[in-house]
Structure formats: C-alpha cells, structure tokens
Amino acid sequence: MRQSKHKKVRYRCFSFKRLLIIPIFIYLMVPVFAQEHEISGIVTDKSGTPLPGVSVYVEGTTIGTTTDVDGKYQINAEPESSLKFSFVGFHTESVDVQNQTEINITLIPDVIELSDVVVIGYGVSKKSDITGSIASVSSEEMMRKNPTNVLQGLQGIAPGVTVTRQDGAPDGFASIRIRGIATITGSTKPLYVIDGAQVGQDIDFLNPSDIESIEVLKDASATAIYGAAGANGVIMIKTKQGKAGAPKITFSVDYGVQTLASTLDVGDADQYAENIRVARAYDGAILANEIFSEDYDGVRKTIDWQDEMTRVSLKQQYNLSASGGTENTQHNISLGYLNNDGIVVNTNYNRITGRASVVTKAADFIEVGGDVNFIHTESKGSNISYGNNGNLSSLRDFAFYCPTMDYVDPITGEHISPNVVNSNGTYGTYIQSSVGTYDGNAGDNIYAVQMENNGLTKINRVLTRVHAEIDLFKGLTFKTIGSYNLYNRNFENFWGNKHRYMPDGVTEVELANYDDRYHLQIDNSQSNTIALESFLTYNWSNDVHNVTLMAGNSLSNSFGSWSQASAVDFPGDNIRDVSLTSDPTTRTGSGAYNLDVRGISYFGRAVYSLKDRYILTGTLRQDGSSNFGAGNRWGTFPSVAAAWRISEESFLVNNQVINNLKLRIGWGQTGNSGGPTDKSVAALTSETIQYFYYPQGGTAGLGSVRQLANGYAIPLVDTRLKWETNEQTNIGIDLGVLQNSLTMTLDYFTRISSDLLLNRSIRPSAGYTEVYTNYGEIENKGIELGLTYKKQVTGDWYLSVGLTGSSVKNEVKKMGADLLSVNGETTNDGSNVGAVAAPSGVHWTGHSICREGYAVGSYYGYEVEGIFQSQEEVDAANASAVAAGHSQYQNQNTGPGDFKYKDIDGDGFIDENDMAILGNGFPKLNYGLNIYAAYKNFDFSMYSYGVLGQKIYSYSAMTLSNIFPGDNQTTPNILQESSDEAWTPENESTTIPKLTMLDYNYNMRGSDAWVKNGDFLKISTIQIGYSFSNEMLNSMRIGSARLYVSIHNVATFSSYNKYGDPEAGQGSVLFTGLDTGRYPYPRTYSAGLNIQF
Amino acid sequence: MKNISKILFTLGSILLLLGITSCDEEFLEVDHYSILAADQMFKSDEDAKAGLVGCYDMMLPVAETNGDWGIKPNLFIGGHPTMDTQATGWDKDWNTQNWNAGSPELLSGWKHCYKAISRTNDFLTGLEDADKITPSLKKSLEGQARSIRAFFYMWLAKAFGRVPMLATGEDYINTPAKARAETYKEMWDFIIEDLEAAVPLLDWDPLDGQYGRCTKGFALSYLGEAYMWKAFRVPDEATANYKEAADALLQVIESEEYELNPSFTTLWDPGAVWTKECIWETVLDEGSQWNSWSNLTDAHTWHTYFTACPAAGGWGTLYLSWEWWSSYEQGDKRRDASGMTGPVEDIDPDWKSPTNYGYNPYLQQSIAGGDELTHHYHYYKDGEAAPAIWSLKTWRTCRADWQAMWGPQQIYYKRYANVLLDYAECLFNLNGENDATAWGYINDIRERAFGNLEVGKKEDLESTYLPYYQQIAQFYYDNGDTEVSIPDEYPIPFNDDLVTVPDAKTYYTQLKADKGFTSPVWLVALGMERRKEFNTEWCLAQDLIRSGFIEDHITTNYPKGEGYPNTNPLVQDAWQTHRTFDFVPEKMDMPIPTEELLKNPLCDQNEAYK
C-alpha cells in the first residue's frame, strides 16, 4: 500500500550501457555545452497507452508544451533544468534533464488504486478502513463472462451473493439474494445505487459494459445508512466516466451461436403408446384412440417436440463508447445494442441502451455532473399467456407433450398422420373432440401455437441524474444528487382466427370449441420516481486521528398509472384499433393512477480511525414512509461497527508472511416498509356488493320485478401497520498473506427479521382469512468465505484463482398458524408456479409451507413408505383402516403398484393430516470457482459455480414419471427410464409406481417421491483471449485490441439432469427449489473483439 | 471573491437541507386513488343504506358456484344429518356421521357467517357515532343490522353448538384470539339480546316497502326460535324460555301480517316471491339471459344444475330417500311438490306419482329413456349408489344446462309454517300433548298439504304461477325442443274439491304404534310433519335436533342394517338406505373447523370430536 504511493518513474529506451556513458559524457561536456538542447519523448500511462494533452514544462520557467495525440512532445531545456509532466488525474512528475535528449515517462494515477477504494453509501472509503462486510467485483472480471445483464455477471463471483437464473429465455429472469431470505411475502431484492443515486430494486436497464466497478454491501453496518431500502443488501455500482485527455473510443462486438445444451430422454411414439396400453389395462379401461393399439407400432409418426420447438439461434451484442475531456470537463457516451434470438422458436429479445455523462469543474471548489441512461427493450414469445407459467417455452413442456399427432378417424377408420408443418407451410393438429375421443392429447400443435404468438412487450426506461459537489471549507464538502427515473411498459397482442390443416395442407380441420374471432389487447403502464439526496461530509485528520462525519437527508416520490384496452371480433387481420371491433360489447377498458409512494430520510455516519489501526463506524438513519398511517410512519435504524487492523500492530507490521489481517465486527438494523399499499387505511371494499329487493308477491322469472342495490363493506385493515425490522450481526476477518498474493475474507452473520409485513393467516372467526399486518420472525445464519490467489508466477505467467462459498440456514422462528401456498397463481416475478395448476387435479395443494422451526417455503407433502405389491397388501391396509372407523386406507380404488403413503398422524388412514415437511430449497453450500490465467498476450478464464446439499421439489420429475393427464391437456410422455422402471408385477423393486392414467391413488400428489437431489457443478464460461501488442496496433492508430472466443453453459454435472436443469430459480421465496420446468438454458459459442482507439 | 462564493454556496446548501426537512409529515400524506375512505359509509342516509347492503349481501351466495354459501354447506348441515337428503361420491361421509373438522364445507359456512358478523359489527360500530343519519332511519338500520347478526350467529349456534361471540367493536386487530361462549346461556343470551333490541326498532312492513329486509316479523320469529334453542340447551330454564318463545311467536301469528299460501306446491315457483307466507328467504334471480355467461351477479347459483338428475344433464348433488318419499299419506300433495322419482319398474303402486314418475312436469323432461340407471330404486354409477329421487324444489325452474346453469330459486329460511309448528312445539312443551291449539296448527298445515286451501282458487293460482312455465316452455321450444308444448294448466293440478284430511293426532298415534317411535305422539307428529313440509329446506335437521326427535327419527325411520351398502350393485333394486352407524347425538353439533382451532388458540373443540 505504502509503496504504491511512491513515485514511480520509468525510463524507456535507455540501455544500461548508455546510462553509464551519459553521465561521463555530460560531465565532460558541461563547461562547453551548458546550453539548451532539444528533448523529445512519449508520455504513457501504466498500460502503455499514450497520454495526449499532458503539460510538459521546464520547471521554474514559462517554457512548456503539451503532448500530441500520440503522447509525444518536444521541448528545449538546459541540462541542469528539470522537466515537469502534469496531467489531471495523475501524479505530477519531475525529471532532471541532464544531457538526455529523449525522456519517456509513465505517469501514475493521482488516485488511490481502484482496488484499494470501495464505494460505500454516500461516499468512498479506503478498503483498509472498511468495518462492514463488503464484496468487490471488478468490471474486468465480470465482463469476461459476456453477461447479457448485470445479474449474470455477478453469478458465482461474490461470497454471500446468490444469483440463480430462473430460465434461459433471451430476457430471462434471475433472482439475487444476499444473505438469505428475511421475508415471506415481500421482496428479497437488494437496492441498487448507481453513482450515488438510488435506482430501486431492478438493474435490467444498465448495460454491463457501462460498469466500472461493483461493491456489494452485505451486513447491516454497511447497509444501514440506506435504512429501509437496504434491508436486503445494497449493490453499489460505479459507472465508467470520462477522463481528461484525448478522446478515447472503444468498440466491442460479441457474436454468439446458441444451441440447446441438453434434452430430456423421453420415449418415442411407440413407447408412449405402450405406456397408454399398460395404463389402460391397469385402469380397467379400453383405448380411446385406436392409434395407440399395437397394430400401429412402427407405423405411427414420432414428433420430437424438443427438437421441433427449439433451434440454433444467434446472439449479437455491440457496444460503442467515447470518452475524453479536459482537465476541467470530462464526458463519456456509450451506445449498446443486443439482439438475442432465443433457442425456442419465435422468441426474441432486443435491447438498445444509451448513456451519456459529463462532469465539469465550474470552479476549483465546485463540481457539477450528470448523466442520462436510456434503454429500450422488446421481448417476444416468452413469459406470456400460454402453457407453463403463461408461456410455452419450457423444455419439460415440450418433452412431456404427446409425441405424435396421429389418430385413427373413428368414423372412417383411416389412419391420419398430421404434420407439425405441412409442405405448404400450414400447420396440422391433434384429433379434435368433434371427431372423436383421444388418449394422447386434447390440445393443439404447440409449434403452431408458439409461432402464432404475437405478444410483444416493450419497455422504455430513462434514468437521469444530476449532482453538484462543493468543497465548502477545508475538509467540508456538500453534495446533492437529484434523479428522475421513468419506466414505461407496453404489452400488445393480437391473436385469433387460427387454421389447421390435414396432411395435404389444403383440407381444413374443423377445430372443436374454438372461438375464431380476432382478439386485440393493449396494456400500458408507467411509473416515475423523483428523488433528491443531499449530504455534508467533513473530514479531519492528523497523524493519529482520522474523523469523517457525514449527515444528510433524502426525499423521494414515486407515482404512475396504468391502462388497458381490449376487444374481440375484428373485420380484418390488419386492424389494431379497439374502436373498430365488430362487437362493441367486447370492448373493455380500465386504468388507474398508482398509489404514490413517498419517503423522507435523515441519515448520518461517523467514522473514527485511531492510528490507522482501530476504526469505529456508527450510522443512524430515520426513514419516513407514506406506506404507513400517521403515528407509524417513522422508523429509526442504527448500526455500529468496529475494525482492528491487527497487521498494523508492531508485532505484525513487518511480518513476512502476514501482510494484512483485519478483524471486523458489526451490528445494525435496517427496515422494510413493504410495497405500495392501501392496506393501512380503513376503507370501503372494492369488491362487488349488491342485494335485491322485491315487492311483496313480486316475480323472480324472466323480466322479474326487483330492485338492485349496490353497497359497501369495510374490509379488515390493520391501521397500526409499522416497519418491518431487519437486524444483523456480523463478524469477519480479512487476511492477506505472501505479499497479499493470497487473500481471504471470512464472515459469520446472523440476520433476524421481525415484525414481518405479511398477509397473516388469521382465525376464520375474524370474518377474513388473512390480514396484512406485522407478524413473525425469520432467522438467517450463515458463513461466507472468499479466497483469492493472484500471482505473477513468472515473467510471462499470471494466475488468479478465486473461490467463493457461502452457507445460509433459514428458519422461521415465529409464524403462528402455518402458511400454505396457493397453487395455480402465476406471479409476476417469473415464478413458474402456474405450472402446478389445478390443485385438486394434481393434488399438489399446499406444496409450500411456512412453519415455525423450518425454512421459509419448505416442501410439504406425503411420505412414501413403498409400493403396494399385491391386492392382499391393499386389502390388509384397508381392513385396518375400516377397523379404525374409516372407509379405506388411501382410496377405494388403490391397487397393487400404487404408492403406499405413511400414516404420519397414526389415525389409521391417509388424509391431509399425514402431510409432512419434506425439506426445503436452500442448499447447504453455494460455491463458485473462477480461474484466470495470462501468458504473454493470451489469457484464459473459467467460471464455475454450484450447490451442495440442495433438494429440489420436482413437479417436473412427477410429470416425467407419471402419465396422469394433469395439465396442458396432454397425457404425459414420460422419461424412457420411467417407462422402463415403472412398477409391474414382475418388477417389484422399483421406486416408480405403476402406469395409470386415472391415478385413483393420486400417485402424482406432492410427496417425497418427487424430492430429488439437486446438487450440481456448472461450468458456466470458458474464455480464451488474445490482446494484440502495441507495436502491432500503433500503426493502425489503435490503442488496444483484444480478441476472444468463449463458451457459455459449458457443462452441468448433476444427477438431476435427467429431469431438467438443476438450477431451478424462482422469483417468489415461497417456491424456492420448486422445479416446474423452464425455458432451457442455451449453450452459447461466441467470439468477440474489443478495440480501443 | 472565492470566499464569498463559498459562503453563498454554504448558505444555499443549508437552505436546501432545511427546505427538504420542512416537508416532513405533510409530504408523506398521499391520496389513495382506488379506495373510498371508511367514513364514507355514514355521510348520508343513502350511504348508510348502502352500508347495510354490505350486510345483506352476505345473505346471497358468494359466487355463482356452490362453494361458500350456495347449496353447500346448508344442505350438509340442514339436510344430510336427517338422512332424508342423501349424498354420494366425495360427499358420502355426510350420510354416515363421518363428517370431520377438516371438512371444507364446514369451514366455508363458518367463514361466511363470521364475515357477515364482521360486516354487521363494523356497520353497528360506525352507526353508533353517525350523526348525519335521519334518526328514524338510524333506528331501522340498527334493527336490521342486529337482526342480520342474530341470523348468522343462530346459524353457527345451531350448527356447531357454542362458538366465539364477537360483539360490536371487536375485530381481529383488537381481539386476535377469542374463546367460544363459555355456556349455552351466554351464547343464546347474546343472540336474544340482539333480537329483543331489534323488535321495537323495526316495523312489520320492510323499510321502503322493500321485501328482502328484516322486519319486526323476522325479529320476533327468530326470537321465538332463539328462546326455544335456549330452552333446549339450558333445560333448567326450559319452561321460562318456552314461555318467552311462545309470546314472541304469538305476536307474529296475531299480527295477521302472515298467512299460509293457498298452495304448498307453488311455494318454489318464480311467479310470486316474498308471499305472505314468507318471513325470510333468499331469492336468486336467473339474470336476463338463458344461454350466456354474461350478466352474472351474486344472485345466481347453480342450484338447478347441481340438484338435477344426472340423466337429465345435472350434477347429482342432492338425492332424497325412499324412506322420506314413503312417509307421505295418500293425498298429501307435498310429496309431488317436492320431488320426482326415477321410472322404477317395480315401484310400489302407492309410491308411483301420477305426475312425477320418471318425469319433471315443470320442465317437461323425462328420465324414462336413455339412461337405464334411473330405472332402479338406486341410481348406481361408478361404484356409488344414491336413491333415484330428485328434488323439485330446486330442479323446477330450468333445465340442467352446462351453458346456463342458473335458474330462479327461492331458498326459504323461515316461513309462516315454521312459526306455526314452532308455536305448537312451545305449547306442547308448556301444556302437554293434548294442547288443542297446538294440534289445530298442525291440522292447518295438513289441510294446506292436502290441497284444501287451493279449492276455488285455481284461476288465481294459475294466473300467478302458470305464465312462467308457459314462458320457459316457449323458450325451450324456440331453442329446438319441438316436443315441448306450451302448458295451459299448472303442471301439478290444483284441487277442485275438498278432501278429507286425517286428524293429525289420530294419524300419528297410529303411526307411532305402527313404527315403534319412542317419542310422545306430539313430537312424532311435529317431526314427521316437518320432514314432509321442510324437506330440502335447511331448517329441517336443526328443528329435529332442537325438538328432540332426531334420534327417534334416525333409529326408527332408518333401521340399521337394512338394504345393501352403496358399493354393492344389489343396492340398485333395494329401496332402503343401508345405515351402518350407531346414532351419536353429540355429533349433531358439527366439529369446529380445524383451521379455527389452529389459528385461534382460545377456541376448543366439541367433545364428540376430541
């Protein structure tokens, strides 16, 4: 550290021999030639990049010049004089001229090394002074992964920061959780702060290539300065800014080819038919569709839906930026474009990002700056209303779909073999119920459905920010940041009037129960946030003491509105105007202003450092939120933390092994005010309330005489709603050994959330089933480890290895009554719970439970004791049940080959009281391993991450093992392995029950049979790069250039792969670890080029 | 100069900080665009009336399906314990006293009642402080609200025994846990207090002439019943409470505001609702269209669809027993007004209806053809059997049609006939089994049952009740059923001549001897008359329980071990209900729902289910 402050001047192009000769020569010549001579040279930065605009002058004179665009200069000076090189942002250097005619110099930045400084709330701090738990992520490291969005870039890089992708869609969701889950119904997303301005809980709008560095504030002593907003951690992002000097232009291009990384091994049409025949026999039923009889084995056509629905797709990304400026004004502009065709047909994501920033010094004590960020995205084909989670893009959905559309016409007896796509481009489909019955599928050709999916989501977002920073007096600065954040979302869809054709492509199929009218839907919403934050910072120090005080306040206001319009029945397929519907009664329109959310905060922080060894930090924040009623609006959140830099003590200061050792301990509170809500205000209900009055002897028939009265009711509201409190204690060690080539960060923390804001399930005699209130307590305990080894191994070899690991135990400490999840609801955060539909149909009702003593959203279901092997076993179980006063043990139609469930409550039969907690979706360990190596101009990097001790509650495994037609109108096509291993009288030693379509026993129900080991190791990225040498580039006036090739989603090692990708992220905390299938993660082969001019 | 600038900037910074801090509380006050403030409810007379609509709203089913307050759970609690209505399939436990605390139907009824009580409590709380409401209206509103609250508490009390009693001002926020009323006396006194208070606040005529509102007659009729329940639950105070009950019921009788309809048969016809016999009912309107999902309101349920014969497109939720069908005397028109049988091939001639044998005369629908399953005493399908009798009280106004499953319905909670029989019960309890007045009221009911009140009124009755059936016939004809004829007379003929009705006391004395009832004759008479009068009405089970007849009824009318189990195909041709369980009187109080026990630590379970 100290060494880094020393001036480092390196001279180039001088051989040792010349160094010896020159002084002698000078000595001899001085009396004679003690006069000016011309000196020339090049000024560069550390990377060798020429620095234009550097002031070069002869010390003590007015003689001077500046370097040209190539960093070159020429100047005349006397040998006894000195040259001064001055440039904003760099240390001024002085060089004695003597008799040199060529002086090349490298300037050192006039700032503390980036790696030694971290951005904290409302300021920056030397890393050595940090008392809280903070993880740093460099842009360089993140960008080696070519991330589409910021969360992808963060995956597996920082300990305690768990990023889980939810699907592989081109606009795919990912969830990020810092130090576990501290809420049940609220958000788990962290706060993002960009260049000091809070921007909310989404970062989708920021192009990763615009990022300079990221700090993740994890413990409360670090986040408490953001009070309520920082309850789930804070991610501080510093964006790239312009630098004084000649304009710098960078351009990067990344071009990738995406393929399906893996497939599910389901059966072909003949295996499918055999399964149906076997099941029908067990069910005591005959085939409904003759096509599945043995007569058609080898004849019926197999459709590989996984192949039909996916494709090799292209992904291209371009970024262009230009920066530069003078000593007083710097600017930076950038433009990015991403076009990502998903690997599922007719899916696409398009993104344009733009950013411009400028900083100027109006005077030597005042700086004003600002930036504008813009993003436009268009998403098509995924995450909209069809199939699994409202989209038809889950690999499991494709795989388990009936693998043939063949059928035997019940009237003509003809074997019909529809095509997915006919030769003339028209689509075929399954047998229609108007023609006959079916065993396989009652739905439509999913390829056709997907190709006709016109839904398009457009998002426009603008974030603009202005700041002013004033040095008021020595050590005292004032900074104010104003920001405006606009989010606009538009969804439009036009559909209807579909047509399907027989294999000839001409004969149209009469679709059963089909509304052939055109539908038009247009949704719009927009939200705005205006915020202003101002704070004063004062610093005073001497050789012993260093004090930094900061105090300020902020206020914010969020507002918006939404509208929707739709209609049905249009005269033509070109019409996109709701008013032109042929049936005005179908016109709908609605909209509203959003509830404003306002906040005011006051905050302060004091940091005291004694002898640069003992550091104490205290923060206090008071937040006021409009979410609560008067009297409960304000919450106060303190924190305190201390650090001891042990390595600065006398007994360690010169230790050759331990270079850095710091002990940190901290405690703090943050709060959570929940989302915008009317739920603290006593109000009249918005539900329809009406009643009917009649005259005496009135009529109730057609044309009845009655009077309709509309009315009011007051729903249950907790007007005493208050802040949710999040309390965290942290103890950590930072260690650096062997010249800091090996560093370690180890943290242990506890995080307790209390007074949770949640919809509490309440006694039914209250008249309501739940109320939004403060209740409950959740505890997270965890340990985090970060290990980094960086070493210049030899002159040409550089090696960096990073290992992260974290383990979090989540437990509901106080809950009251159990909270069981409700199926069939699709959440807007990407949770695929919609797939677990029809709760009574598939008997997965309440598969997620929150119960005291267990993790949030634990798995809930039945325990399988085994499989009934004979009717005698079934009869014996039923006889015992009857003796205990029940009708039967499980179901009256339970038979051999069905699961036998455990009678947990011991009452002699199976009902919902025999459901138990089967585990949870929190892995015992999250880890990441990242390797970077460089040899000369080549570099290599590999990123991997994984989990251990992970259980997955796999609805996918169930639907790939059981042929009960539960959803998507299809009898599932199960895994070949499940077909082979399903119970038969001859195959008793198995864990797969018999094949049955009726499934009287509900073998499909949520049970531990479907809880699978989800451990995995994923090699996410391998990249090889080559940086061209300056010598090669100078002639082309190129500053630097790097070419790379990479593979993403290289391999996943897991026993779960047969059911799908084990990385089963969900947006909702209640469904952590639930796998219902998802848009497949693509494998991407890409190549790219980064050039700087 | 530089220092001046700095000073100016410093001042500006301070002003900026001060400016922001001055916003404070006022800044945090936001407008709520999508809600109406709670105090809106009492800003005017009209607002207050609308607030009361929120309470009345709970009288209607929550949705168009059967979930919360439609046919279930009323059928399960008010019908199935008598075994006269019978369940099959998933609901079959309701015929064997195997109902349990986890029953979703019990929970939905429990939640619905408490939601209604919560609304009335909120309304009464606000009404207390409302100073902008016309005083006379305020009185009426209070009387109506207290009547509604008493109605729902009575439903809970009759179904579950003792329940948590939440008073005005109590809600979940200030009372997160609540014990059940400690004693039956405490609980029924709470209900009686509401009804006693409501009586003087209400008029005989409903407010604004709007039938569907609680009246003095409502309050008095339920007050009488409440006292009878208290007499049943608190035997030590029985006599005093029967006296109070009799006093209240006599006021209703002597008011002459109510009278029996001339024809029992027409009570479920859409041609006249809120007749003079009606003290409380829920009228469900069919909407304005027959074949569209549009125009749905809360006043729709799927009663018709659920209770119609499956062979005619219905769901088959409700069946009536042959024990009930065979209980009628020849000439009692209530049987044919209440149900129809399948075309059972070897049916007892006395059980063969001239109008309703395999045929729904109101809808001109035959179940004789097609599905042969209807041709047996039991409709046996998919391993489940149920008596081949369906209710015409609910399957009368429209055909079971998946595209339009709602028809107009009248769901009676209290008729004048209830008051008369309740009053008779009080008199028997007070004066013994020879009370002539009490026997007189039973005979009045029987005179109407045999059609003697119809005599001479055929023209009036047909002008009131026939047009609907002409209209619906025309509708079906227009929609393609050309077999339908437009009727020119009422589907079940009215009596032209008086008939002789056996004297009740004589008849039931003999019946007791013949069947071996153990109850006194008056109780047998009341119980059997109630079965005939109130089948498929939800007061029946509780009337039999409260009066003390239920055990005698089950053990005598449904002897154990007769017939065949429902899973035995031989059940098809046996008419008896196969009872396997021993009657447990304590199970007549339903179990407190599990969810209440889990979430209300102060609430305990009824003894029979512990």
Side-chain angles (χ1 to χ4, degrees), chain A residues 75-104:
Chain A
I75 193 168
N76 292 323
E78 294 177 352
E80 63 272 22
S81 65
S82 299
L83 290 186
K84 276 214 164 188
F85 298 84
S86 166
F87 193 49
V88 66
F90 292 80
H91 280 291
T92 299
E93 302 290 355
S94 181
V95 180
D96 294 337
V97 174
Q98 298 177 348
N99 289 322
Q100 300 176 82
T101 56
E102 183 179 2
I103 299 177
N104 299 327

Side-chain angles (χ1 to χ4, degrees), chain A residues 723-909:
Chain A
W723 288 87
E724 181 177 303
T725 303
N726 205 321
E727 185 173 308
Q728 203 175 143
T729 306
N730 190 92
I731 182 164
I733 294 174
D734 297 333
L735 177 67
V737 297
L738 305 175
Q739 280 70 52
N740 282 326
S741 59
L742 178 63
T743 59
M744 181 193 79
T745 300
L746 182 66
D747 281 272
Y748 170 79
F749 69 89
T750 62
R751 181 184 178 194
I752 297 173
S753 294
S754 53
D755 293 330
L756 303 175
L757 284 164
L758 46 74
N759 288 309
R760 184 182 179 191
S761 182
I762 61 175
R763 59 178 168 83
S765 58
Y768 300 88
T769 54
E770 61 182 27
V771 63
Y772 188 65
T773 189
N774 297 95
Y775 190 76
E777 188 175 296
I778 297 174
E779 180 186 80
N780 290 278
K781 285 181 182 174
I783 190 163
E784 297 162 354
L785 174 69
L787 275 174
T788 306
Y789 178 75
K790 293 181 178 177
K791 180 81 174 176
Q792 191 76 39
V793 182
T794 66
D796 293 329
W797 275 101
Y798 175 82
L799 179 65
S800 166
V801 179
L803 176 67
T804 64
S806 62
S807 178
V808 180
K809 182 170 186 270
N810 177 276
E811 183 180 336
V812 177
K813 304 296 281 187
K814 182 180 164 192
M815 180 75 213
D818 293 344
L819 176 69
L820 292 167
S821 74
V822 178
N823 279 337
E825 298 290 331
T826 297
T827 52
N828 292 325
D829 56 10
S831 296
N832 293 314
V833 294
V836 193
S840 62
V842 294
H843 295 264
W844 276 58
T845 302
H847 58 80
S848 159
I849 190 172
C850 295
R851 175 181 284 177
E852 287 178 8
Y854 297 90
V856 171
S858 289
Y859 304 155
Y860 198 52
Y862 296 84
E863 291 183 10
V864 173
E865 271 193 335
I867 293 178
F868 283 116
Q869 299 296 344
S870 66
Q871 188 59 46
E872 288 71 30
E873 276 189 37
V874 177
D875 292 344
N878 285 340
S880 298
V882 170
H886 306 290
S887 302
Q888 65 275 322
Y889 184 69
Q890 283 174 188
N891 184 284
Q892 62 182 9
N893 292 311
T894 297
D898 283 327
F899 278 144
K900 181 182 183 186
Y901 296 101
K902 189 174 179 182
D903 179 18
I904 289 173
D905 66 355
D907 64 355
F909 81 122

Side-chain angles (χ1 to χ4, degrees), chain A residues 364-366 470-474 478 480 532 534-536 552-557 592-600 602 624-626 630-631 633-634 677-678 681-704 706-707 709-718 720 760-769 771 773 817-818 885 887-888 892 912-913 1002, chain B residues 2 5-7 9-10 13 16-17 20-21 23-38 40-41 47 50-51 53-54 56-57 59-60 90 92-93 98 102 107 110-111 114-115 118-119 122 164 166 171-178 209-213 257 270-276 280-281 283-288 290 297-299 382 384 408 468 471 567 595-596 598-600:
Chain A
D364 62 354
F365 64 96
I366 180 166
I470 307 163
D471 294 329
L472 297 173
F473 296 100
K474 185 180 180 186
F478 172 78
T480 185
L532 182 66
S534 305
F535 54 96
L536 288 160
N553 65 14
S554 71
L555 77 168
S556 63
N557 184 13
Y593 290 178
N594 297 339
L595 177 66
D596 287 10
V597 178
R598 295 181 188 168
I600 303 179
Y602 302 96
S625 169
S626 62
R633 289 191 174 125
W634 293 90
T677 180
D678 294 318
V681 180
L684 301 180
T685 181
S686 57
E687 65 187 277
T688 301
I689 287 178
Q690 51 189 209
Y691 193 63
F692 301 86
Y693 300 112
Y694 293 80
Q696 191 166 44
T699 61
L702 289 168
S704 62
R706 61 172 170 81
Q707 180 187 332
N710 292 300
Y712 308 136
I714 302 172
L716 183 63
V717 166
D718 182 359
R720 300 175 303 187
R760 184 182 179 191
S761 182
I762 61 175
R763 59 178 168 83
S765 58
Y768 300 88
T769 54
V771 63
T773 189
D818 293 344
S887 302
Q888 65 275 322
Q892 62 182 9
E912 66 273 11
N913 295 320
Y1002 311 143
Chain B
K2 184 176 171 182
S5 297
K6 283 199 169 185
I7 290 167
F9 277 114
T10 304
S13 306
L16 182 61
L17 288 170
I20 292 170
T21 55
C23 296
D24 254 24
E25 283 290 325
E26 195 179 328
F27 178 73
L28 297 177
E29 292 282 353
V30 295
D31 291 325
H32 293 265
Y33 302 116
S34 298
I35 56 174
L36 267 175
Q40 177 73 34
M41 190 179 278
D47 286 326
V53 167
Y56 277 120
D57 172 67
M59 293 287 185
L60 298 172
W90 294 350
K92 61 183 181 303
D93 284 348
N98 261 331
L107 177 61
W110 177 277
K111 288 199 293 194
Y114 275 108
K115 187 172 183 182
S118 166
R119 285 191 182 180
D122 287 342
L166 293 142
D171 62 19
Y172 176 78
I173 304 302
N174 58 34
T175 316
K178 181 79 176 178
Q210 295 172 328
Y211 284 80
R213 288 186 181 277
E257 295 286 332
V273 301
W274 287 100
T275 63
K276 293 200 77 173
W280 191 251
E281 70 170 326
V283 180
L284 305 180
D285 196 84
E286 90 285 15
S288 60
W290 285 96
T297 72
D298 279 355
D382 297 334
E384 297 283 347
Y468 177 84
Q471 206 173 7
T567 51
E595 197 171 329
E596 181 69 27
L598 288 173
K599 297 174 181 174
N600 183 359

Side-chain angles (χ1 to χ4, degrees), chain B residues 276-525:
Chain B
K276 293 200 77 173
E277 180 164 346
C278 180
I279 290 172
W280 191 251
E281 70 170 326
T282 299
V283 180
L284 305 180
D285 196 84
E286 90 285 15
S288 60
Q289 298 184 55
W290 285 96
N291 55 355
S292 166
W293 287 90
S294 61
N295 297 325
L296 283 176
T297 72
D298 279 355
H300 299 78
T301 63
W302 296 3
H303 270 64
T304 292
Y305 177 71
F306 279 123
T307 60
C309 171
W315 186 260
T317 296
L318 173 61
Y319 302 86
L320 290 150
S321 73
W322 289 100
E323 286 84 352
W324 162 78
W325 181 263
S326 61
S327 70
Y328 287 92
E329 299 151 69
Q330 290 298 309
D332 188 337
K333 300 184 73 174
R334 289 177 296 189
R335 187 191 67 181
D336 286 358
S338 304
M340 60 168 286
T341 71
V344 183
E345 285 159 4
D346 59 347
I347 194 169
D348 183 326
D350 287 346
W351 298 357
K352 186 171 181 178
S353 164
T355 52
N356 301 352
Y357 176 70
Y359 187 70
N360 184 326
Y362 291 98
L363 300 168
Q364 301 183 47
Q365 270 188 297
S366 171
I367 56 170
D371 192 343
E372 292 295 315
L373 297 171
T374 63
H375 292 236
H376 303 271
Y377 278 112
H378 275 79
Y379 187 89
Y380 184 85
K381 189 177 182 183
D382 297 334
E384 297 283 347
I389 307 175
W390 293 272
S391 170
L392 284 185
K393 287 183 177 177
T394 53
W395 180 28
R396 168 184 294 217
T397 58
C398 72
R399 294 177 177 179
D401 179 355
W402 175 244
Q403 297 299 314
M405 54 288 283
W406 48 90
Q409 295 285 338
Q410 294 186 77
I411 303 169
Y412 289 106
Y413 287 91
K414 194 173 281 292
R415 295 192 269 123
Y416 187 52
N418 292 89
V419 172
L420 295 179
L421 294 179
D422 285 356
Y423 183 59
E425 184 182 330
C426 290
L427 294 181
F428 285 130
N429 275 295
L430 291 169
N431 306 325
E433 72 173 353
N434 293 319
D435 190 292
T437 307
W439 283 113
Y441 284 127
I442 294 175
N443 280 326
D444 286 350
I445 296 290
R446 289 168 57 81
E447 286 292 323
R448 196 263 297 264
F450 280 71
N452 282 345
L453 302 191
E454 295 171 354
V455 176
K457 295 173 184 167
K458 180 176 180 179
E459 195 173 327
D460 285 348
L461 289 169
E462 290 202 329
S463 69
T464 302
Y465 296 109
L466 182 57
Y468 177 84
Y469 296 105
Q470 293 172 326
Q471 206 173 7
I472 196 73
Q474 187 68 54
F475 173 82
Y476 289 126
Y477 184 88
D478 293 343
N479 281 276
D481 186 353
T482 53
E483 299 290 314
V484 168
S485 60
I486 309 304
D488 54 9
E489 63 177 14
Y490 189 76
I492 297 177
F494 297 117
N495 278 18
D496 291 321
D497 302 310
L498 290 173
V499 296
T500 301
V501 179
D503 171 64
K505 189 175 181 184
T506 307
Y507 173 75
Y508 286 111
T509 301
Q510 186 61 47
L511 185 72
K512 174 180 173 177
D514 291 347
K515 299 204 70 170
F517 287 110
T518 57
S519 304
V521 172
W522 67 267
L523 187 53
V524 173

